[in-house]
Amino acid sequence: MKKFYALLGAALGAAVLALPAAEPGPAFQIVTEQTVCPEYGTVMYRRALLCEGLRLAFQPPAGWKASADAGQRVLLLESPTADAQIRLRLVLPRRENTNAPAVLPPAPELKAVVAGIAAGAEITAEGEYPAAGRVGKSLDFNFVQGARRYQGRVVWVTLPECHLELVLTTSNNLAKKHPFFIELLNSLEVRKLQELSQVSR
């Protein structure tokens, strides 16, 4: 399983490296935010990913480990039993040159995304899922890596500030991991750090 995830990281990383250089900005890092519920006065904790002027708030499923790959701009979540993984990649506006405005690249065909993850993967279903206030297109797929069979789902969400690419892969049954994936999708919120600083003043 870990060998496959290493290969998956390389495949997604190749897509990132093929894009022009990104805008400079704050470091790519995970932080823990603390807020107080106004109704009950209880302290609440939430995770957030800071990346180049954006704040992506998220809540990992209980027991799932979260880590960040700054080089690939990827948030990685791994299940407690290590049989499933969710990778969330941010695709940000790019400049073709120093004088050009930053432009968000067009969304790719999802079948091409799946082919980049696992060559020869079988598409089994397509659909839509809400995330971060938008509705993203999705594809489910099956593939074989070595002697093991895997199931996966990719969801692509386009926002004004960025694209979100979410990939769930598991060596278990996809339906069993679906609730955890939905839990993450429902928790996503993207805001510009500049907007948040103005609100807090």
Side-chain angles (χ1 to χ4, degrees):
M1 191 72 172
K2 291 184 179 298
K3 181 180 179 181
F4 161 70
Y5 287 144
L7 294 172
L8 174 61
L12 294 179
V16 176
L17 293 174
L19 295 171
E23 289 287 285
F28 189 97
Q29 60 179 328
I30 297 175
V31 299
T32 300
E33 299 176 339
Q34 177 179 313
T35 59
V36 177
C37 177
E39 185 175 357
Y40 300 103
T42 54
V43 177
M44 302 172 62
Y45 296 94
R46 196 177 190 187
R47 309 298 294 278
L49 182 66
L50 305 181
C51 179
E52 300 188 17
L54 292 180
R55 167 189 169 273
L56 170 64
F58 68 97
Q59 190 61 47
W64 287 55
K65 297 179 181 179
S67 59
D69 185 329
Q72 298 184 21
R73 296 184 186 85
V74 166
L75 169 67
L76 175 65
L77 302 175
E78 186 172 11
S79 67
T81 51
D83 63 345
Q85 185 183 73
I86 300 173
R87 294 178 65 93
L88 190 160
R89 181 168 70 93
L90 282 80
V91 180
L92 303 171
R94 312 283 164 170
R95 292 183 187 273
E96 292 296 334
N97 55 66
T98 55
N99 297 322
V103 177
L104 191 65
E109 291 289 336
L110 278 188
K111 289 183 179 179
V113 175
V114 171
I117 295 170
E122 174 193 6
I123 305 296
T124 59
E126 60 180 292
E128 297 180 337
Y129 289 94
R134 298 295 175 109
V135 176
K137 300 290 185 180
S138 71
L139 287 180
D140 291 357
F141 55 97
N142 295 332
F143 61 101
V144 176
Q145 180 70 44
R148 304 193 69 173
R149 185 173 179 83
Y150 294 87
Q151 296 182 329
R153 172 174 296 143
V154 58
V155 176
W156 189 281
V157 183
T158 297
L159 303 166
E161 304 87 357
C162 64
H163 296 297
L164 300 178
E165 180 192 80
L166 297 106
V167 181
L168 165 66
T169 51
T170 179
S171 58
N172 205 319
N173 185 282
L174 188 65
K176 292 183 179 179
K177 303 303 178 182
H178 174 76
F180 303 110
F181 193 54
I182 294 300
E183 183 180 345
L184 175 66
L185 291 178
N186 290 339
S187 74
L188 297 178
E189 179 189 61
V190 177
R191 297 283 298 275
K192 291 182 178 180
L193 291 175
Q194 184 178 10
E195 294 176 354
L196 294 172
S197 63
Q198 291 172 350
V199 171
S200 63
R201 290 176 184 174

